[in-house]
Amino acid sequence: MDDDKLKLEITLAPPLPQRKFLLVCAQKTVKDLKNEIRRRLVTLIQEPITLISDGFELMDDDLVVDLLSNRDSLVVVLHQHLQSYYAQETPSQPADTTDT
């Protein structure tokens, strides 16, 4: 595989269908990668998306090769559903049961 290409694992987050894909990424920026994902999945995604890696949102102007390595996992979240995605990914805090 070329040095400038990465194989990425792509997972769609709800409310998108439960699907996983492998994608060979030759895009330079995160914005280009997002556009490529939307182009390939045009029947599933018509809205703006956010890419998340290890719990962090990827910024559009960053270079893909600076942020990701081969076989990294990305989650595709519809931008309008970011808050609900984070709410479901963040474990709830246990109630404090200590007596004072």
Side-chain angles (χ1 to χ4, degrees), residues 1 4 8 15 37-39 58 61-63 70 76 78:
M1 180 172 282
D4 57 345
L8 302 173
I37 290 171
R38 288 187 65 213
R39 183 189 70 77
L58 302 184
D61 292 333
D62 288 329
L63 297 177
N70 203 35
V76 176
L78 294 177

Side-chain angles (χ1 to χ4, degrees), residues 33-45:
L33 176 58
K34 287 166 53 173
N35 289 337
E36 179 66 9
I37 290 171
R38 288 187 65 213
R39 183 189 70 77
R40 290 187 186 195
L41 302 176
V42 70
T43 59
L44 299 174
I45 303 171

Side-chain angles (χ1 to χ4, degrees), residues 2-99:
D2 296 343
D3 288 339
D4 57 345
K5 292 183 181 180
L6 298 174
K7 188 184 301 182
L8 302 173
E9 298 175 10
I10 308 294
T11 302
L12 304 182
L16 293 168
Q18 186 175 357
R19 305 274 302 270
K20 291 185 175 191
F21 304 92
L22 281 177
L23 173 81
V24 175
C25 170
Q27 288 71 33
K28 300 288 184 203
T29 66
V30 171
K31 184 176 183 175
D32 294 337
L33 176 58
K34 287 166 53 173
N35 289 337
E36 179 66 9
I37 290 171
R38 288 187 65 213
R39 183 189 70 77
R40 290 187 186 195
L41 302 176
V42 70
T43 59
L44 299 174
I45 303 171
Q46 293 85 33
E47 303 170 36
I49 60 173
T50 299
L51 298 179
I52 299 180
S53 176
D54 294 326
F56 296 95
E57 293 178 39
L58 302 184
M59 305 294 282
D60 283 351
D61 292 333
D62 288 329
L63 297 177
V64 170
V65 296
D66 289 342
L67 298 174
L68 302 173
S69 302
N70 203 35
R71 291 304 291 241
D72 272 356
S73 295
L74 292 178
V75 178
V76 176
V77 180
L78 294 177
H79 188 72
Q80 69 181 17
H81 293 278
L82 271 175
Q83 294 304 321
S84 60
Y85 172 80
Y86 282 125
Q88 111 188 144
E89 292 298 311
T90 305
S92 58
Q93 297 292 331
D96 184 9
T97 57
T98 59
D99 292 333

